[in-house]
Amino acid sequence: MKKKLLIVDDENGIRILLMEVFSSEGYETYQASNGKLALEIVRNVSPDLVLLDMKIPGMDGLDILKHIKSIDASIKVIMMTAYGELDMIKEATDLGAIMHFTKPFDIDELRQAVNQQLRTPNNNSYAVGS
C-alpha cells in the first residue's frame, strides 16, 4: 500500500514542485493551500506524513499542527519555514513536529528526510523464525 503524504503550503509553486517530487517517489500525494482544507484531508485520508508550512494566512502552521496531532497523534509532521524563528521552531517541536526545513530548502535533503521517515525498516515484512 502506498504511503500518503500531505503538502500544506499557501504557495502554489511549492505545492506543485513537492507534489511532482513525491509522486515520482511513489507516494500518494495530497495538497492543501490552507489550514481548513488541510484538516479536512487529515480527517478523510489520514496521511502518514504532513509537510507543513509555518506561515499560512488564516490558520498558522502551529495551529494546524495542534489540530493534526489532536486528530491523530501518530501522523508525522515536518515543518517548512521561510523564517528562522527559533521560538516557533521550538514550539513546533514541542507540539510533535519531527523536524523542520528552512526555505529555500534543498529538495534532495527534504526528499531524503521524507523517505527516511516513511520507509523505515518496520514497514518491511520478514518471515518470523526463519
Side-chain angles (χ1 to χ4, degrees), residues 116-130:
Q116 189 178 2
Q117 291 300 322
L118 295 181
R119 296 183 180 158
T120 48
N122 64 2
N123 293 335
N124 299 331
S125 47
Y126 295 103
V128 177
S130 59

Side-chain angles (χ1 to χ4, degrees), residues 26-118:
Y27 298 114
E28 200 174 303
T29 54
Y30 300 85
Q31 62 171 318
S33 58
N34 61 58
K36 187 173 182 286
L37 185 57
L39 296 174
E40 204 173 291
I41 293 169
V42 167
R43 284 188 198 97
N44 295 331
V45 176
S46 193
D48 298 289
L49 190 141
V50 178
L51 290 174
L52 177 58
D53 189 25
M54 193 84 84
K55 292 282 188 189
I56 295 180
M59 190 187 302
D60 76 6
L62 293 175
D63 287 335
I64 298 168
L65 175 60
K66 286 176 198 166
H67 287 293
I68 289 171
K69 290 297 185 175
S70 71
I71 294 166
D72 183 349
S74 72
I75 295 173
K76 296 177 178 180
V77 180
I78 295 176
M79 302 301 292
M80 303 180 294
T81 178
Y83 312 87
E85 294 135 341
L86 292 174
D87 54 336
M88 280 184 85
I89 291 165
K90 182 184 180 330
E91 190 176 345
T93 306
D94 292 344
L95 291 169
I98 51 177
M99 61 180 70
H100 75 278
F101 282 85
T102 305
K103 294 178 184 177
F105 44 74
D106 180 317
I107 196 70
D108 285 326
E109 283 179 16
L110 184 62
R111 190 175 51 76
Q112 285 176 331
V114 168
N115 286 338
Q116 189 178 2
Q117 291 300 322
L118 295 181

